[in-house]
Amino acid sequence: MDAKQRREDISMLGFRIGGGGRAWALQEPFGAFTWFPVNDHPSDEALYDVAITVPKGWSGVAHGTYKGKTTEGRSSTFRWQSTDPVASYLTLFAADKFRMFTDKGPRGIPITYWIRPQDVRKQLPVARRMPAILRWLEKKLGPYPFPSAGLVATSDSGMETQQMVALGPRYMEPSVVAHELAHHWFGDTVTPRTWRDMWMNEGFAMYFEMQWYADHEDGTIDAFISNIRAYDAELRRENGPPGKYRRDAFGQSNVYYSPAIMLHEIRKRLGDKKFWAMTRAWPQEHRNTTQDRAAFVKWINEHTGRNFTKHINTWLDSKTTPR
Ligand SMILES: [Zn+2]
């Protein structure tokens, strides 16, 4: 299944078993079919009720809202529910000796964190940044589109699994938390209809990650964009243009960086006020839908009263960096 993919952050897709019996499943673009029967395509979303039974003392974590656990004899069953449609690549399974911590997000949104006892001291302070990051995102993007949020410290990647971000140790950074939470507006509630439009996920998430970093840590968005612009030509050469990436180059930096530069150019033309209004209106007007490039282009032209068709198509399809 992974023979043709070159992602460096994921050694294998689908269901994984790690040391000590812990297990997890992450899958982008495909892999959910390795642990439950599913039409594993982003256009085919579903509602989920999940029950995970683990040995007593262990925790079973999934996407959706935590609905509590019951313990019987030597095993515990953890229940999870999604009341908004979920694309199969945004589902999650994780079993480990996690400890659970609770928190409250903006407007009282319930949050749970799931962290292994030996990692709590290091990882819990990062997880606890979530409410503040969500407040910052809500100011820019309007209400967080789901009834709960969470973070589980598992896997060897960082993934925007719906309502339960999954972060491996290398990815446990506040800016990555901001990136994965931004995906809940770009990717989770508005999902690309096919993987050709992965730029719709990663371009926006990268842009909001950089803006969050500029606002909270260091640097300016202009400096970040000018830095990544220096790689654009090479990324296109190596992986293809972001809207027509090479078949064996799924999830490479070209679908992150180049569309983020494209968005920054749109911001320069619209000005800050209209740009942020646009990034807020797109997910709010298209909650729980799947979309594609044609729909976005049509919408942004109508929404802004400007014509971005050529700009967007050139940035997504050109083999060389647009001027
Ligand atoms: Zn991402």
Side-chain angles (χ1 to χ4, degrees), residues 32-182:
F33 70 89
T34 64
W35 57 287
F36 65 95
V38 63
N39 177 25
D40 209 353
H41 191 277
S43 64
D44 193 358
E45 301 188 303
L47 302 179
Y48 287 81
D49 286 285
V50 179
I52 302 174
T53 300
V54 288
K56 205 171 152 182
W58 286 59
S59 299
V61 181
H63 55 284
T65 299
Y66 180 51
K67 303 302 277 185
K69 73 165 175 176
T70 48
T71 299
E72 218 175 292
R74 285 158 148 196
S75 59
S76 301
T77 299
F78 290 73
R79 292 180 195 282
W80 299 85
Q81 188 172 61
S82 300
T83 49
D84 295 277
V86 189
S88 55
Y89 80 96
L90 294 168
T91 61
L92 162 77
F93 172 94
D96 207 329
K97 291 176 181 166
F98 298 119
R99 276 178 64 193
M100 182 187 78
F101 302 87
T102 59
D103 213 339
K104 280 258 186 290
R107 299 172 293 109
I109 294 167
I111 299 177
T112 57
Y113 309 123
W114 303 80
I115 299 173
R116 300 199 296 168
Q118 63 267 39
D119 300 326
V120 167
R121 208 169 54 89
K122 208 170 158 192
Q123 297 183 340
L124 186 60
V126 179
R128 289 232 186 260
R129 304 281 293 271
M130 265 183 113
I133 293 171
L134 279 171
R135 276 196 297 277
W136 181 85
L137 284 166
E138 284 206 342
K139 254 188 218 157
K140 291 248 180 298
L141 294 169
Y144 171 77
F146 300 101
S148 70
L151 184 152
V152 59
T154 195
S155 90
D156 48 10
S157 185
M159 187 64 205
E160 65 269 27
T161 28
Q162 197 159 309
Q163 299 175 247
M164 184 57 63
V165 165
L167 291 186
R170 280 193 300 147
Y171 294 85
M172 197 60 77
E173 297 284 344
S175 59
V176 183
V177 175
H179 177 106
E180 308 305 348
L181 286 175

Side-chain angles (χ1 to χ4, degrees), residues 199 204 207 225 229 232 236 241-243 257-270 275 278 293 296-297 300-301 304 306-323:
W199 66 271
F204 280 103
Y207 197 81
I225 293 293
R229 196 187 281 273
D232 183 80
R236 287 171 195 268
Y257 288 175
S258 309
I261 307 169
M262 173 186 89
L263 289 171
H264 198 59
E265 302 269 330
I266 292 174
R267 179 175 175 179
K268 294 280 174 213
R269 292 200 205 174
L270 285 177
F275 175 76
M278 181 278 290
R293 185 202 303 194
F296 179 73
V297 168
I300 194 175
N301 288 346
T304 61
R306 308 276 290 266
N307 189 343
F308 287 108
T309 308
K310 191 168 172 232
H311 173 77
I312 292 170
N313 288 338
T314 306
W315 271 92
L316 294 179
D317 295 337
S318 174
K319 288 181 180 159
T320 54
T321 301
R323 278 172 196 271

Side-chain angles (χ1 to χ4, degrees), residues 162-211:
Q162 197 159 309
Q163 299 175 247
M164 184 57 63
V165 165
L167 291 186
R170 280 193 300 147
Y171 294 85
M172 197 60 77
E173 297 284 344
S175 59
V176 183
V177 175
H179 177 106
E180 308 305 348
L181 286 175
H183 270 307
H184 281 66
W185 283 264
F186 304 101
D188 292 19
T189 197
V190 184
T191 304
R193 199 162 294 147
T194 76
W195 284 115
R196 266 295 166 235
D197 287 322
M198 193 184 189
W199 66 271
M200 289 174 87
N201 288 7
E202 300 305 343
F204 280 103
M206 192 71 223
Y207 197 81
F208 278 86
E209 176 186 340
M210 290 189 295
Q211 185 64 59

